[in-house]
């Protein structure tokens, strides 16, 4: 029995398991523990592909499992979080009991992205559109920013139905937008080839250290903005 071929898929299933646990904590509106399990699931999501390449056991089954696991951890969970944010928001647009379900537009956008990713041959080395794990961390951080912020402006912002709907719509858009995003993988150990990645990682650490949970959405936004600038001016030194 070849145990190696089962290691990556087992790690993928751990991602799914973390997503299931996160859903339970979101249902109890315990967003901090939910954030932890989503982060842990994304950690497993990163290493399943690493071990698949290491053991040379990549295959169609692993690809499908990966997307199905991501659909829960990085698709259903962030949509569920937005559902609760809309449920607890100020009634500026609608007081209808079905209004908060619009948060699951994020889940629909994630599903479409994951399905398209599996058939898009352009995304083998980098991404086009925001990856679902990054989007999930962004959404999971919002209730924590709301919980720990002392700013009245932030409170009003993240309890506004208009703002939350805008975030929901933009999330579904940016997941599937034709925006090339630079890869974080280190393939050549030279400063020139990794300057953009080093700048981003340094910026990310500083944002997280100084702003804690509020730094998470800043990191995701910085990733998208740096990618757009890179696409325009070729900051990584590559010819466009």
């Amino acid at each position: 029995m070849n145990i190696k071929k089962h290691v990556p898929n087992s790690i993928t299933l751990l991602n799914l398991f973390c997503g299931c646990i996160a859903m339970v904590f979101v249902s109890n509106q315990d967003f901090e523990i939910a954030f932890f399990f989503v982060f842990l699931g994304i950690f497993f999501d990163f290493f399943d592909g690493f071990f698949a390449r290491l053991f040379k056991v990549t295959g169609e089954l692993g690809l499908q499992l990966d997307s199905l696991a991501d659909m829960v951890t990085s698709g259903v969970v962030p949509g569920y979080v937005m559902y609760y944010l809309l449920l607890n928001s100020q009634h500026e647009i609608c007081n209808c009991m079905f209004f908060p379900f619009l948060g699951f537009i994020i889940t629909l956008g994630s599903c479409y992205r994951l399905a398209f990713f599996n058939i898009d041959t352009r995304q083998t080395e980098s991404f086009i559109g925001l990856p679902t794990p990054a989007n999930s961390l962004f959404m999971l951080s919002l209730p924590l920013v709301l919980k720990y912020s002392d700013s009245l402006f932030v409170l009003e912002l993240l309890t506004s139905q208009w703002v939350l709907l805008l975030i929901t719509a933009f999330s579904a858009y940016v997941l599937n937008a034709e925006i090339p995003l630079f890869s974080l993988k280190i393939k050549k150990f030279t400063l020139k080839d990794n300057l953009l990645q080093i700048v981003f990682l340094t910026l990310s650490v500083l944002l997280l250290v100084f702003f804690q949970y509020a730094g998470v959405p800043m990191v995701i936004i910085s990733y998208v903005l740096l990618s757009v600038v890179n696409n325009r001016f070729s900051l990584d030194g590559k010819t466009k």
Side-chain angles (χ1 to χ4, degrees):
M1 180 179 180
N2 186 4
I3 297 178
K4 285 184 178 182
K5 71 177 183 180
H6 297 292
V7 171
N9 290 342
S10 297
I11 296 175
T12 301
L13 292 176
L14 287 175
N15 172 20
L16 176 58
F17 185 53
C18 288
C20 293
I21 296 174
M23 284 182 61
V24 174
F25 283 103
V26 170
S27 68
N28 295 327
Q29 298 194 52
D30 194 338
F31 298 113
E32 199 154 11
I33 298 180
F35 181 93
F36 169 78
F37 276 103
V38 165
F39 182 84
L40 185 60
I42 292 171
F43 174 83
F44 287 130
D45 182 45
F46 176 83
F47 278 101
D48 60 0
F50 172 80
F51 280 105
R53 292 185 293 270
L54 180 66
F55 295 151
K56 299 180 180 179
V57 289
T58 56
E60 188 63 26
L61 176 61
L63 179 66
Q64 299 306 321
L65 277 178
D66 188 71
S67 290
L68 290 170
D70 281 346
M71 187 58 217
V72 176
T73 307
S74 299
V76 177
V77 175
Y80 203 8
V81 168
M82 183 54 73
Y83 163 84
Y84 275 111
L85 288 174
L86 287 170
L87 185 67
N88 298 320
S89 64
Q90 303 171 28
H91 298 148
E92 303 161 308
I93 303 174
C94 178
N95 194 20
C96 173
M97 64 179 292
F98 294 106
F99 183 80
F101 288 97
L102 292 176
F104 287 105
I105 290 174
I106 295 170
T107 302
L108 303 183
S110 299
C111 181
Y112 189 90
R113 180 196 161 70
L114 289 167
F116 187 74
F117 179 84
N118 285 348
I119 61 173
D120 189 358
T121 56
R122 299 173 300 167
Q123 300 191 55
T124 55
E125 298 296 328
S126 58
F127 299 107
I128 298 176
L130 186 67
T132 54
N135 185 65
S136 186
L137 288 176
F138 182 96
M139 294 302 160
L140 266 291
S141 70
L142 295 182
L144 300 178
V145 173
L146 187 60
K147 178 180 178 180
Y148 291 107
S149 176
D150 296 324
S151 170
L152 182 61
F153 174 74
V154 171
L155 176 64
E156 292 179 349
L157 202 66
L158 294 181
T159 56
S160 166
Q161 286 185 336
W162 288 107
V163 172
L164 293 175
L165 275 183
L166 182 62
I167 292 173
T168 299
F170 185 73
S171 168
Y173 165 75
V174 77
L175 282 166
N176 297 284
E178 289 287 317
I179 304 174
L181 302 179
F182 65 88
S183 173
L184 296 177
K185 296 177 181 178
I186 304 296
K187 294 188 174 181
K188 296 180 180 179
F189 295 95
T190 63
L191 179 62
K192 179 181 177 181
D193 290 316
N194 300 297
L195 181 60
L196 186 59
Q197 288 86 344
I198 292 171
V199 169
F200 171 69
L201 291 174
T202 303
L203 177 62
S204 299
V205 170
L206 292 174
L207 289 173
L208 293 173
V209 168
F210 286 105
F211 296 101
Q212 284 91 46
Y213 287 119
V216 176
M218 294 180 186
V219 168
I220 306 303
I221 292 170
S222 297
Y223 177 47
V224 175
L225 291 179
L226 278 174
S227 294
V228 172
V229 173
N230 179 55
N231 296 335
R232 179 67 181 84
F233 298 104
S234 302
L235 297 182
D236 57 4
K238 297 176 183 177
T239 304
K240 301 292 182 183

